[in-house]
Amino acid sequence: MGHRKTHAPRHGSLAYLPRKRAESHLARIRFWPKIESQIPQLLGFVGYKAGTTHVFTIEDRKRSPNFGKEVIRPTTVLDTPPTFICAVKAYSQDVNGLRTVAEAWAKEPPAALGRVFTLPEDFKTEEALKRIEERLPVVAKIRAIAVTQPMETSLSKKKPDVAEIEIGGGTVQKQFEYAKSLLGKTITAAEIFKEGQFVDIASVSTGKGWQGPVKRWGVTILQAKGRKTKRGVATLGPWNPHHVMYSVARAGQMGFHQRTEFNKRILKMGKEGKEVTPKGAFLRYGEVKGSYVLVAGSIAGTEKRAIRMRYPARPPRGFAEEPPQITHISLESQQGR
């Protein structure tokens, strides 16, 4: 009887190649969805991952076998201090993509912004806004440049994160007026999102450094009597082609990759962080002092990581718009005491 081949599909997904380190700790958002609204609205927000806990909710998905019953759900707590809108940026669009038309900066941006780049002495805000208004006929998109305020959290960092957030809904004229009204002011997550809503989460995953093919790709550990190695791949490929193919599992960087997860549900939003801070505070983070967002499930990235929330690119249908009823939020100590 001849050798019978065992079923052995390839190890590890090739969907996210190359698995190299992300360029920045702050994730990039490459797509902004269109929203059906006549009222202009910011389409995103930046928060910080504080940690995870669990909540008890009443299941409100009608097709679920647990509909109407109390279920336990793992949740992630995001610390969401108000974000300062420091600039308005206008883009035109042609066959080559987006081109900057003009940008207007607030007269008095936060002093911490000087830690990111050198601030000019005079921003000439009125002139810049007038320049955008004159060119509105060619403007296709209006975006706001937001600056986070980590000083209002338990983070030790003083350097803020700067993110570009698109404005959707209404006409370009309305979007510009809305952006102008925000310039130089702060905005909270509760003004952008609502409880029960789905959001897309973009973040950079936890870095694990240089790892071998067993940990990085999940390949099978070879038998002990084998030659040379156990924790490697059995063959690097055929004679032809005369190079190692990209699909062969090799050692390399693992983690610290950007990942975007679609349709994570906001379970709860609040202004008092003590409502969700466990006894002894979150490990490796501390207390949530101000406003927060509870998101169902896990989120890629370590504690303290900047997390970007965005209006859903492909929202699910058939979900109740009302927020789920939360019966209990676990505040048990995470320090085993």
Side-chain angles (χ1 to χ4, degrees):
M1 187 174 177
H3 174 71
R4 192 170 74 184
K5 186 179 184 304
T6 55
H7 178 63
R10 71 151 289 109
H11 295 276
S13 170
L14 297 176
Y16 300 103
L17 294 181
R19 290 195 181 183
K20 63 178 184 179
R21 290 176 62 82
E23 291 181 6
S24 168
H25 286 82
L26 184 67
R28 288 172 60 196
I29 291 184
R30 298 174 177 85
F31 171 77
W32 295 97
K34 290 182 179 178
I35 60 171
E36 296 177 4
S37 171
Q38 296 304 314
I39 303 171
Q41 178 69 57
L42 275 174
L43 299 181
F45 198 79
V46 183
Y48 293 97
K49 182 175 175 179
T52 57
T53 183
H54 65 269
V55 300
F56 287 88
T57 66
I58 303 300
E59 181 61 78
D60 60 351
R61 293 178 299 167
K62 291 187 177 178
R63 291 189 176 185
S64 169
N66 293 322
F67 179 68
K69 298 178 183 177
E70 192 176 52
V71 293
I72 186 170
R73 281 187 174 183
T75 60
T76 303
V77 180
L78 298 182
D79 198 346
T80 54
T83 294
F84 184 86
I85 305 301
C86 67
V88 176
K89 198 166 184 179
Y91 289 93
S92 63
Q93 193 162 17
D94 56 22
V95 291
N96 295 314
L98 297 177
R99 292 181 183 275
T100 303
V101 172
E103 58 184 52
W105 287 75
K107 289 178 181 176
E108 297 180 4
L113 190 60
R115 294 177 177 271
V116 182
F117 43 73
T118 304
L119 299 176
E121 291 181 7
D122 184 14
F123 280 100
K124 299 180 180 178
T125 307
E126 299 303 328
E127 290 180 26
L129 285 171
K130 194 174 181 182
R131 199 178 308 124
I132 296 176
E133 200 162 12
E134 290 170 353
R135 301 178 184 180
L136 276 182
V138 299
V139 170
K141 294 183 185 298
I142 300 284
R143 292 179 179 175
I145 297 178
V147 178
T148 62
Q149 301 185 87
M151 301 77 71
E152 296 188 17
T153 69
S154 291
L155 294 171
S156 59
K157 69 185 286 183
K158 298 177 182 177
K159 183 178 177 180
D161 292 291
V162 181
E164 199 172 89
I165 303 172
E166 189 159 304
I167 296 173
T171 61
V172 172
Q173 177 71 43
K174 287 182 180 178
Q175 290 173 6
F176 174 66
E177 295 299 330
Y178 173 68
K180 203 159 68 168
S181 69
L182 289 180
L183 190 62
K185 298 177 183 175
T186 57
I187 192 165
T188 62
E191 295 175 66
I192 300 173
F193 304 114
K194 59 185 179 182
E195 293 180 342
Q197 180 181 347
F198 284 89
V199 292
D200 296 340
I201 301 284
S203 60
V204 175
S205 64
T206 305
K208 295 178 171 60
W210 183 281
Q211 299 296 338
V214 170
K215 185 177 174 74
R216 192 180 187 220
W217 295 98
V219 301
T220 306
I221 296 176
L222 302 176
Q223 63 174 1
K225 292 166 70 175
R227 179 172 165 268
K228 282 190 176 179
T229 183
K230 287 173 64 181
R231 297 182 64 86
V233 286
T235 175
L236 293 181
W239 277 2
N240 289 304
H242 283 335
H243 61 82
V244 179
M245 294 184 290
Y246 77 94
S247 56
V248 176
R250 306 307 308 266
Q253 172 68 30
M254 182 177 177
F256 204 75
H257 310 305
Q258 177 171 323
R259 296 292 179 258
T260 302
E261 276 195 277
F262 294 101
N263 301 329
K264 310 288 281 188
R265 197 176 187 193
I266 295 176
L267 299 179
K268 183 176 171 61
M269 304 174 82
K271 296 179 180 178
E272 292 293 329
K274 61 185 178 183
E275 297 172 357
V276 293
T277 302
K279 295 173 186 174
F282 285 103
L283 296 180
R284 296 174 295 280
Y285 186 85
E287 296 179 8
V288 177
K289 297 177 180 177
S291 57
Y292 65 88
V293 175
L294 269 186
V295 179
S298 61
I299 288 176
T302 183
E303 302 85 359
K304 307 177 185 177
R305 181 81 83 224
I307 306 293
R308 297 194 69 173
M309 294 177 280
R310 176 191 68 184
Y311 264 71
R314 45 180 192 228
R317 297 175 183 175
F319 268 85
E321 291 189 5
E322 296 78 27
Q325 182 186 343
I326 296 177
T327 56
H328 174 71
I329 299 176
S330 173
L331 300 180
E332 290 300 311
S333 171
Q334 299 185 346
Q335 304 182 54
R337 295 173 186 172

